[in-house]
């Protein structure tokens, strides 16, 4: 009965998306991207040696990316299929060169799952973090496809552990070949919840990803020219609430020529950017117009996607968006460059936020006044900035290595024994 209700709710969800799609861009993409999925996928699957990675959206992709690229490097005989649930993840990474095929995941139903696996016939299936669809998992297990869950993260109140589908997931978790967790808390929860499951305490593969971005860092000459080596506050993945806070801070430093600010919104919304630029017309500039940069410009808006992880290299301090009414965005992309981060007060679901605060390299603020005190503390203290850099480096080094651990386990288990390993 519970499984029937689960299936029915998904079909109702799809029906609602169809109804609202003419008026809602994301719903329209969700529906349109899955239209004729069997024919479209069948045209691309021309080999019988595929590894399937599934991610909910962009954040989960960044967690899975180090493992995707490690498998691509070590096992070149295999083709890689990458699926997304969210249009935002698919739109940004649909041309990702690390995968041989990028696709939407069809709606979770027994028929779709059977047809999907019949087309792809994956030798290995890897789910990232938490986007666990029951019919797809059941179909994988029924076909004895080795299936992994990596970077798993759950809290005591997780719907997997306490929701109406609890008993179903309790029976599914032991069927994974292995579950690699982000931290020991998740490992303990899963071992208590499903004692027969193979749970391996690991770390968040995002640490491997951000470490890789530093090693392959490519300078951005336009940003160098804008910052001129001066103190720069970076606003990463911002929303309106955070932008208001950042401009409150800017107004307190507006008289100082040493202050620069770069904002990279989570969603590029030209009218909102235009409004802010018109409020500070002599000081503001969009990156798309960077050729008009002049010495008077002290606020730079990043109106494209894909640069933020490198822009943090030019910051003195970073504000990370979310944590007011939306989820906290990626703090690690900034930390890896040795700069402190601050964010809003709603970070309970993000274990790295607690760790950053505990180590004195991340800070939660409740309002603009607290943010101003924090900024003033760090802004003109080279010694404090140096100490922060040392702490950040130590933290990232301590947390890295999950990708190597997972790859070693896959090799030891001979999950890809038919591949030519380099």
């Amino acid at each position: 009965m519970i499984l029937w209700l689960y299936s029915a709710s998904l079909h109702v969800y799809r029906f609602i998306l169809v109804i609202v799609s003419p008026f809602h861009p994301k719903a329209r993409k969700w529906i349109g991207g899955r239209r004729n999925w069997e024919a479209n996928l069948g045209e691309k699957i021309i080999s019988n040696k595929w590894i399937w990675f599934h991610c909910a959206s962009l954040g989960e992709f960044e967690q899975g990316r180090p493992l995707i690229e490690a498998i691509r490097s070590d096992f070149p005989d295999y083709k890689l299929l990458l699926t997304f649930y969210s249009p935002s993840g698919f739109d940004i990474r649909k041309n990702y060169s690390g995968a041989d095929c990028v696709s939407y995941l069809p709606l979770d139903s027994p028929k779709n799952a059977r047809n999907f696996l019949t087309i792809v016939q994956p030798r290995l299936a890897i789910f990232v973090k938490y986007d666990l669809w029951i019919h797809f998992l059941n179909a994988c297990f029924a076909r004895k496809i080795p299936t992994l869950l990596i970077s798993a993260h759950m809290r005591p109140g997780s719907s997997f552990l306490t929701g109406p589908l609890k008993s179903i997931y309790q029976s599914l978790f032991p069927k994974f070949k292995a579950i690699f967790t982000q931290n020991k808390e998740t490992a303990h929860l899963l071992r208590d919840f499903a004692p027969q499951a193979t749970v391996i305490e690991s770390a968040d593969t995002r640490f491997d990803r951000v470490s890789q971005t530093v090693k392959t860092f490519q300078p951005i000459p336009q940003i160098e020219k804008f910052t001129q080596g001066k103190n720069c506050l970076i606003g990463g993945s911002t929303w309106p609430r955070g932008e208001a806070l950042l401009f409150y801070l800017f107004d307190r430093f507006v008289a100082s020529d040493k202050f620069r600010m770069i904002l990279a919104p989570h969603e590029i919304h030209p009218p909102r950017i235009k409004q802010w630029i018109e409020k500070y017309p002599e000081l503001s500039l969009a990156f798309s117009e960077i050729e008009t940069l002049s010495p008077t410009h002290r606020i730079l808006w990043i109106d494209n996607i894909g640069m933020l992880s490198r822009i943090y290299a030019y910051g003195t301090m970073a504000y990370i968006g979310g944590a007011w009414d939306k989820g906290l965005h990626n703090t690690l992309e900034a930390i890896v460059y040795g700069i402190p981060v601050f964010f809003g007060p709603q970070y309970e679901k993000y274990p790295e936020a607690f760790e950053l605060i505990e180590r004195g390299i991340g800070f939660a603020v409740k309002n603009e006044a607290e943010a101003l005190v924090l900024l003033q503390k760090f802004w003109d203290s080279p010694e404090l900035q140096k100490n922060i850099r040392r702490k950040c480096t130590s933290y990232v080094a301590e947390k890295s290595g999950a990708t190597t651990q997972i790859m070693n386990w896959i090799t030891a288990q001979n999950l890809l024994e038919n591949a030519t390993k380099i």
Side-chain angles (χ1 to χ4, degrees):
M1 183 65 176
I2 294 177
L3 193 57
W4 183 89
L5 290 173
Y6 166 80
S7 300
S9 68
L10 290 177
H11 286 289
V12 170
Y13 174 71
R14 184 186 184 282
F15 177 74
I16 293 172
L17 290 180
V18 170
I19 297 299
V20 304
S21 61
F23 320 102
H24 195 289
K26 281 191 174 181
R28 188 160 57 250
K29 289 180 179 179
W30 195 99
I31 295 297
R34 289 166 169 81
R35 190 172 290 120
N36 300 321
W37 70 265
E38 290 179 74
N40 294 333
L41 189 61
E43 291 177 358
K44 299 173 183 176
I45 303 298
I46 56 177
S47 163
N48 64 352
K49 296 183 70 172
W50 285 84
I51 297 171
W52 169 35
F53 277 84
H54 176 66
C55 307
S57 191
L58 190 60
E60 291 72 34
F61 165 76
E62 290 299 329
Q63 288 180 304
R65 185 170 180 171
L67 187 60
I68 292 173
E69 295 179 353
I71 288 178
R72 164 75 85 186
S73 173
D74 285 4
F75 298 99
D77 285 1
Y78 282 89
K79 301 290 186 181
L80 297 180
L81 167 65
L82 171 64
T83 60
F84 286 99
Y85 175 80
S86 163
S88 57
F90 176 82
D91 282 349
I92 295 173
R93 293 304 179 192
K94 60 187 175 184
N95 296 317
Y96 171 56
S97 62
D100 298 282
C101 178
V102 182
S103 173
Y104 279 102
L105 184 72
L107 181 75
D108 189 29
S109 72
K111 180 181 177 182
N112 284 348
R114 287 194 303 269
N115 292 349
F116 178 89
L117 294 179
T118 296
I119 294 170
V120 180
Q121 300 184 47
R123 305 292 184 87
L124 177 65
I126 300 175
F127 289 77
V128 182
K129 194 174 181 179
Y130 57 64
D131 207 44
L132 304 177
W133 298 101
I134 291 173
H135 295 304
F136 277 94
L137 289 175
N138 274 328
C140 284
F141 299 145
R143 296 186 183 215
K144 301 189 184 306
I145 298 169
T147 305
L148 306 180
L149 173 59
I150 68 166
S151 289
H153 170 56
M154 295 181 189
R155 298 179 301 118
S158 167
S159 60
F160 294 108
L161 309 181
T162 61
L165 300 173
K166 169 185 174 180
S167 61
I168 295 177
Y169 284 110
Q170 202 162 29
S171 68
L172 288 177
F173 285 148
K175 297 179 183 178
F176 279 94
K177 197 73 174 175
I179 299 174
F180 293 87
T181 69
Q182 289 188 27
N183 50 46
K184 63 175 61 178
E185 290 76 16
T186 298
H188 289 160
L189 281 172
L190 287 176
R191 286 167 183 154
D192 289 341
F193 179 71
Q196 295 177 335
T198 300
V199 178
I200 301 172
E201 182 184 331
S202 183
D204 191 338
T205 48
R206 286 183 304 160
F207 286 94
D208 300 327
R209 173 60 187 155
V210 296
S211 297
Q212 186 180 43
T213 63
V214 172
K215 292 176 183 176
T216 60
F217 176 74
Q218 296 178 334
I220 309 174
Q222 301 95 323
I223 302 295
E224 290 182 359
K225 188 174 181 181
F226 170 76
T227 58
Q228 299 177 9
K230 298 178 180 179
N231 283 339
C232 185
L233 175 60
I234 311 291
S237 297
T238 61
W239 297 89
R241 175 65 182 88
E243 289 159 13
L245 181 149
L246 291 172
F247 277 100
Y248 171 90
L249 298 176
F250 180 82
D251 287 341
R252 271 66 192 167
F253 285 84
V254 70
S256 172
D257 182 53
K258 295 181 179 180
F259 191 100
R260 297 289 184 272
M261 187 163 73
I262 301 175
L263 296 96
H266 183 68
E267 294 182 349
I268 306 302
H269 191 58
R272 191 170 87 234
I273 295 175
K274 183 180 179 183
Q275 286 181 346
W276 279 115
I277 290 178
E278 289 176 347
K279 187 174 180 179
Y280 300 84
E282 302 299 323
L283 302 175
S284 301
L285 182 68
F287 188 83
S288 58
E289 300 176 350
I290 196 68
E291 69 277 0
T292 65
L293 178 66
S294 74
T296 63
H297 290 130
R298 290 163 54 194
I299 304 169
L300 183 64
W301 285 90
I302 306 301
D303 51 356
N304 62 60
I305 294 174
M307 294 177 58
L308 179 58
S309 62
R310 290 189 291 155
I311 288 173
Y312 285 124
Y314 300 93
T316 307
M317 193 170 194
Y319 165 81
I320 308 300
W324 297 96
D325 56 355
K326 296 182 183 294
L328 177 63
H329 294 297
N330 195 333
T331 58
L332 305 183
E333 289 182 336
I335 290 294
V336 75
Y337 289 105
I339 64 174
V341 298
F342 65 104
F343 37 81
Q346 297 176 16
Y347 56 88
E348 295 83 3
K349 297 180 180 180
Y350 301 88
E352 72 272 15
F354 289 93
E355 293 175 347
L356 296 178
I357 291 171
E358 181 181 353
R359 293 171 183 249
I361 53 182
F363 306 87
V365 298
K366 297 185 181 67
N367 50 49
E368 283 76 359
E370 288 188 5
L372 179 60
V373 171
L374 181 65
L375 192 64
Q376 290 172 330
K377 177 181 178 181
F378 286 97
W379 214 240
D380 293 312
S381 178
E383 187 59 34
L384 189 53
Q385 292 173 16
K386 182 179 178 181
N387 186 41
I388 288 285
R389 283 194 294 272
R390 186 168 56 250
K391 288 182 179 180
C392 289
T393 300
S394 175
Y395 176 65
V396 173
E398 177 186 324
K399 293 289 185 174
S400 298
T403 302
T404 299
Q405 180 187 13
I406 297 170
M407 286 295 292
N408 289 342
W409 187 89
I410 289 173
T411 301
Q413 294 292 315
N414 293 318
L415 296 186
L416 301 176
E417 70 272 21
N418 294 324
T420 301
K421 189 178 188 302
I422 294 177

